[in-house]
């Protein structure tokens, strides 16, 4: 089985021993504490579940800057983005060597992790700008990731953490949230060797289904892990239960048995395009995938990144040998009326737009809301039905 | 795929819709509330995860008594034991039509579920005795299940519930706790048709391993679900991470790929022997198993039950047609020196005790603590190593 990055085994930072867990939770209540950023909480969840193995906590500024610049810490360990605990105010934890980190995303701000403080450093404007520029390739505060990164505060608290819970992800998504430990275990149980991972946060239409099948066929995969980004709903988002039902129906009807796992993870999207693609590949290797699908404008937003920057970064910036997982490089896929099947658009250079069945997201939502199923070349009818039921129930409210 | 009991689909009572979940959690904070018994909380967890489908909450006294007597509610629905919310004091919820149920097993007693109150009834001595006698086949207060059942209080709060969390089970056992929904989904994903379920709360030695293999072979199963009872540690118990590691190692080395799922569920043992065996079969059908292994003195304690009462109850008391899951009836298994393999003891009537390799639990723990591996006929060496490492680390403390 593929090894975790830089380690022979996963090192989840969740405290599994119940006695130790109780003791730590108890101790945490009397520690100086700070409410951390949503981004830092997402890091804690990923560290807790083993996705960021072998890292053991938040980086100091030197490591964060080094990672932003070179994807290596000062002592040479590979990681694609800074893992930071940035807060605006450290007066409550002044002088403390051990602190409780409180979760901004759960009511009452319960403790999500306990951190041993190695240093508290103030990040300079230059360092923030440097990291922003390197990670996001822009300083534009309109970029949602740039804005979130720069709105956290300027004090970087570094040091190892131990994780007490998985924030709201495990509790709100009890049937889909998985740690890297669980997914790795299940891949091993299933006896899969070659495993393709697919990132999504939406229901999958035929283009996505066929893309996964193309990747599986190309690499002769034993299985596919659909790995959904879980999180709070944004306006227009489809609720998790509806998305899950639509994906399960697709898998049940259109994939062979024992070739797909449907799972989810909790993290805040960075919208960092290429760098985030590398991060995505990193934690998919940790969960046991051997191949990761990266399509057009992966993890991008607006026009900040070139269509294939998230693929070429693996050639130009990822240090050779840093990752063992392989990238399946994809283009948009769509149904070709000429060829009578879903194809990758780059494989049909003679096609014009009119040769494909293309529908915008807005158009599809509009149709579904009116109870009109998109053509079967675009959406599987059984999947469309689940989505139509949802949109129509929404309109009745 | 096998249907859930009395239903075409699972009806988990966990509130999956995030908005509804938030609203209910918020509402719960201002509702009259009561700290429920550990047993009632276990029922909420099982109802939440779909294990007790199609039941929608706690029974009233008439249904509870009827179930205890006949395994049928007053309107004829099958269930093997009362699902009760018994509390000692209802003054705080007097007159309330909707109440919050607080979890006795989590610090701070957070709300685990919201209940619509249909009735609050005082259970009479006669009714308590009748239910106890029918469910446990004894009135002896030394019986741990009888004691727990009769120590909850006398007010039965009946009515449907909606579940907000899975108590400490999901948070303390993030890699193993599964809802019935999850297990059913995964069985479907794997494409298994015939599925054997095995109940355990301990590491598995060769006798258990071979028992599972015998059952799988006998019914020509596609897969085995090891379904571990999760819970607070009792003195002498092996911590969950050690047990899990030992079971995973056994599966990895001694079962073919894609034939075993390692999972867990949260509930308080009743030690009700035969009746609990029926309950075990019930919720294994709900999670998608087609066969369930019941051995000697299943779910028993002390000398309260005959060795095979937990098997014969399926012939004598379970109403025909109530369950679709089939029982694999087992005896103790042990390595026969004469035959050179693990056999079911009833299949070797010519054997004396000396013909088997038998070790008491106490003896095994003693050996492991001294760093002496039990013979390979008793324990797989790789499994023994994990347990020895644990016991020896304990002794050093």
């Amino acid at each position: 089985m593929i090894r975790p990055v830089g380690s022979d085994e996963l090192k989840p930072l969740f405290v599994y021993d119940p006695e130790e867990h109780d003791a730590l939770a108890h101790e945490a209540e009397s520690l100086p504490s700070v409410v951390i950023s949503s981004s830092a909480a997402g890091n804690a969840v990923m560290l807790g579940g083993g996705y960021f193995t072998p890292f053991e906590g938040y980086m100091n500024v030197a490591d964060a800057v080094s990672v932003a610049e070179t994807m290596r810490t000062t002592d040479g360990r590979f990681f694609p983005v800074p893992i930071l605990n940035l807060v605006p105010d450290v007066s409550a934890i002044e002088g403390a060597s051990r602190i409780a980190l409180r979760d901004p995303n759960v009511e009452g701000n319960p403790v999500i992790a306990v951190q041993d403080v190695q240093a508290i450093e103030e990040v300079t404007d230059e360092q923030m700008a440097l990291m922003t520029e390197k990670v996001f390739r822009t300083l534009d505060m309109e970029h949602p990731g740039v804005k979130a990164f720069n709105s956290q505060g300027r004090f970087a608290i570094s040091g190892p953490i131990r994780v007490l819970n998985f924030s709201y992800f495990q509790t709100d998504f009890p049937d889909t949230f998985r740690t890297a430990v669980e997914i790795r275990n299940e891949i091993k149980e299933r006896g899969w060797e070659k495993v393709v991972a697919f990132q999504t946060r939406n229901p999958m239409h035929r283009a996505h289904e066929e893309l996964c099948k193309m990747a599986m066929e190309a690499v002769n995969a034993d299985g596919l892990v659909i790995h959904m980004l879980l999180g709070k709903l944004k306006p227009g988002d489809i609720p998790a239960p509806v998305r899950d039902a639509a994906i399960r129906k697709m898998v049940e009807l259109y994939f062979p048995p024992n070739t797909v796992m449907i799972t989810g993870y909790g993290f805040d999207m960075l919208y960092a395009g290429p760098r985030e693609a590398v991060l995505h590949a990193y934690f998919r290797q940790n969960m046991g995938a051997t191949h990761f699908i990266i399509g057009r404008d992966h993890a991008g937003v607006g026009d900040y990144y070139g269509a294939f920057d998230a693929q070429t970064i693996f050639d130009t910036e990822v240090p050779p040998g840093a990752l063992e997982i392989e990238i399946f490089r994809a283009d948009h896929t769509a149904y070709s009326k000429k060829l009578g099947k879903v194809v990758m658009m780059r494989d049909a250079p003679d096609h014009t737009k009119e040769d494909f069945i293309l529908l915008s997201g807005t158009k599809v939502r509009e149709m579904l809301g009116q109870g009109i199923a998109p053509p079967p070349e675009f959406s599987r009818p059984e999947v469309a039905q689940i989505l139509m039921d949802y949109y129509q129930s929404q309109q009745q409210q």
Side-chain angles (χ1 to χ4, degrees), chain A:
Chain A
M1 192 168 186
I2 194 168
R3 288 186 346 142
V5 183
S7 178
D8 281 331
E9 53 182 21
L10 283 187
K11 293 176 181 164
L13 304 186
F14 178 79
V15 181
Y16 284 92
D17 184 276
E19 278 177 45
E20 210 186 317
H21 190 280
D22 278 3
L24 193 65
H26 189 76
E27 181 195 345
E29 289 311 320
S30 59
L31 288 174
S33 74
V34 60
V35 177
I36 59 178
S37 69
S38 181
S39 159
N43 284 330
V45 170
M46 296 300 274
L47 287 160
Y51 283 110
F52 286 178
T53 289
F55 286 83
E56 300 196 329
Y58 297 104
M59 296 172 182
N60 60 28
V61 176
D63 277 337
V65 168
S66 175
V67 156
E69 285 193 293
T70 66
M71 298 203 223
R72 296 270 191 205
T73 58
T74 52
D75 62 353
R77 289 175 300 154
F78 171 71
F79 205 79
V81 296
I83 306 174
L84 281 169
N85 184 12
L86 286 173
V87 298
D89 181 2
V90 289
S91 54
I93 56 167
E94 219 175 337
S97 61
R98 201 169 156 97
I99 60 174
L101 308 182
R102 296 192 172 275
D103 191 340
N105 295 322
V106 175
E107 213 172 296
N109 304 128
V111 177
I112 185 171
V114 170
Q115 182 174 13
D116 287 331
V117 179
Q118 285 182 339
I120 298 179
E121 302 165 272
E122 195 168 350
V123 189
T124 66
D125 288 352
E126 291 68 30
Q127 288 166 328
M128 284 304 291
L130 176 62
M131 288 191 283
T132 302
E133 172 70 38
K134 289 291 180 184
V135 170
F136 297 97
R137 300 189 177 186
T138 175
L139 292 168
D140 185 356
M141 283 292 276
E142 298 291 309
H143 182 296
V146 170
K147 189 173 170 194
F149 180 63
N150 285 279
S151 307
Q152 299 174 86
R154 288 299 184 84
F155 295 98
I157 312 170
S158 56
I161 63 170
R162 283 181 293 163
V163 175
L164 290 171
N165 60 67
F166 295 101
S167 187
Y168 66 97
F169 298 110
Q170 189 167 40
T171 45
D172 280 13
F173 308 100
D175 295 331
T176 39
F177 177 84
R178 293 282 187 282
T179 63
V181 176
E182 284 181 284
I183 294 178
R184 191 165 264 275
N185 281 338
E186 193 176 325
I187 288 172
K188 199 185 276 182
E189 284 175 10
R190 292 190 188 227
W192 290 354
E193 292 291 333
K194 288 195 180 174
V195 182
V196 173
F198 180 68
Q199 155 84 22
T200 186
R201 56 183 218 96
N202 293 311
M204 292 165 69
H205 292 286
R206 278 203 66 185
H208 312 114
E209 174 196 324
E210 301 286 353
L211 171 57
C212 289
K213 288 178 173 169
M214 285 176 205
M216 291 174 79
E217 197 182 321
V219 308
N220 194 21
D222 303 300
L224 170 73
V225 182
I226 296 174
H227 201 218
M228 300 184 282
L229 179 71
L230 306 174
K232 302 275 185 207
L233 280 194
K234 292 170 213 69
D237 275 3
I238 287 176
V242 181
R243 174 190 61 188
D244 296 357
I247 290 179
R248 288 202 178 278
K249 184 57 80 179
M250 173 197 74
V251 169
E252 182 189 336
L253 297 178
Y254 298 106
F255 282 83
N258 195 35
T259 60
V260 185
M261 282 166 55
I262 301 166
T263 63
Y265 69 104
F267 190 62
D268 283 6
M269 275 291 284
L270 304 173
Y271 303 100
R275 279 296 180 104
E276 190 156 20
V278 181
L279 178 67
H280 281 178
Y282 185 104
F283 66 75
R284 267 55 180 241
Q285 176 172 337
N286 274 355
M287 77 185 196
T290 55
H291 295 79
F292 179 55
I293 298 173
I294 296 185
R296 205 177 246 267
D297 199 25
H298 185 95
V301 62
D303 294 322
Y304 292 98
Y305 309 108
F308 298 104
D309 287 359
Q311 296 174 0
T312 52
I313 189 174
F314 287 87
D315 308 319
T316 56
E317 290 187 45
V318 175
L323 289 175
E324 199 181 328
I325 192 171
E326 289 174 41
I327 304 310
F328 180 81
R329 296 161 193 236
D331 191 1
H332 278 325
T333 48
Y335 188 89
S336 155
K337 290 182 261 189
K338 271 167 124 172
L339 300 170
K341 62 173 183 176
V342 173
V343 294
M344 225 179 265
M345 290 173 81
R346 69 174 179 218
D347 294 336
D350 62 327
H351 281 43
T352 63
K353 267 201 168 176
E354 286 64 40
D355 295 324
F356 294 107
I357 295 185
L358 297 171
L359 295 169
S360 71
T362 314
K363 177 70 186 163
V364 172
R365 279 190 292 276
E366 199 183 291
M367 292 175 73
L368 293 168
Q370 292 166 352
I372 303 167
E377 295 84 0
F378 187 89
S379 295
R380 296 291 190 183
E382 302 86 350
V383 173
Q385 189 60 54
I386 290 170
L387 301 176
M388 281 191 291
D389 289 348
Y390 164 70
Y391 279 110
Q392 297 200 282
S393 75
Q394 280 305 96
Q395 292 183 335
Q396 280 158 17
Q397 281 174 14

